[in-house]
Amino acid sequence: MRKTEPGMSPFWDYIGMKEQLIEEGYAELRIDLTPDLHQRRGSVHGGVLASLIDGAVGSAVRSTLLEDQASTTVELKVNYYHPAKGNYLIAKAKLSHRGRTLAVGQSEVFNSDGKIVAMGTATYMILS
């Protein structure tokens, strides 16, 4: 299972998203928070949280793919619990279903104090 390295995903590089851990059906991603990622009220923009959830579930899916397979998001749902603030965010994702053509996973996002700030689910289509 190949980690996403700098240069492989320009968007990930742009917002600073990095894979910390990948295991079969599980992934952890981290993003260090900068002022560029905040909305006008001072907390992290919801789109950053959604991207982190999508990326974490996508990494968990990728950990199960064969060499000739790829995947793409077909559905994403996010629940925002608290404004995201702190030095960084960590998303922890695990798969709840891995079929032949679809995979479904959940991710929780924690701030640098260990407080959960959001959770989400994503469905991915497996492409051959």
Side-chain angles (χ1 to χ4, degrees):
M1 116 193 49
R2 188 170 156 198
K3 281 180 77 172
T4 301
E5 300 293 338
M8 294 174 75
S9 174
F11 179 70
W12 280 34
D13 294 345
Y14 184 73
I15 65 171
M17 199 158 59
K18 296 179 179 127
E19 290 169 333
Q20 300 292 293
L21 175 66
I22 299 178
E23 297 175 349
E24 183 79 15
Y26 180 83
E28 292 183 11
L29 272 63
R30 176 183 167 130
I31 188 166
D32 292 325
L33 299 179
T34 65
D36 292 341
L37 301 178
H38 290 85
Q39 44 91 328
R40 62 181 152 187
R41 298 184 95 164
S43 60
V44 177
H45 191 280
V48 173
L49 293 162
S51 295
L52 194 54
I53 289 166
D54 186 35
V57 174
S59 292
V61 171
R62 193 165 14 84
S63 75
T64 70
L65 298 179
L66 300 174
E67 195 67 33
D68 65 339
Q69 292 180 312
S71 62
T72 188
T73 311
V74 294
E75 185 270 338
L76 176 68
K77 182 191 185 311
V78 179
N79 290 95
Y80 301 98
Y81 297 149
H82 304 283
K85 297 180 179 184
N87 298 321
Y88 61 86
L89 298 173
I90 301 269
K92 299 179 180 185
K94 65 180 179 179
L95 297 185
S96 58
H97 170 77
R98 173 56 163 91
R100 190 175 57 80
T101 58
L102 292 176
V104 180
Q106 296 87 33
S107 179
E108 294 179 320
V109 180
F110 301 87
N111 67 14
S112 50
D113 293 330
K115 182 177 184 178
I116 187 168
V117 295
M119 71 83 59
T121 60
T123 303
Y124 274 71
M125 181 178 290
I126 309 301
L127 307 169
S128 294

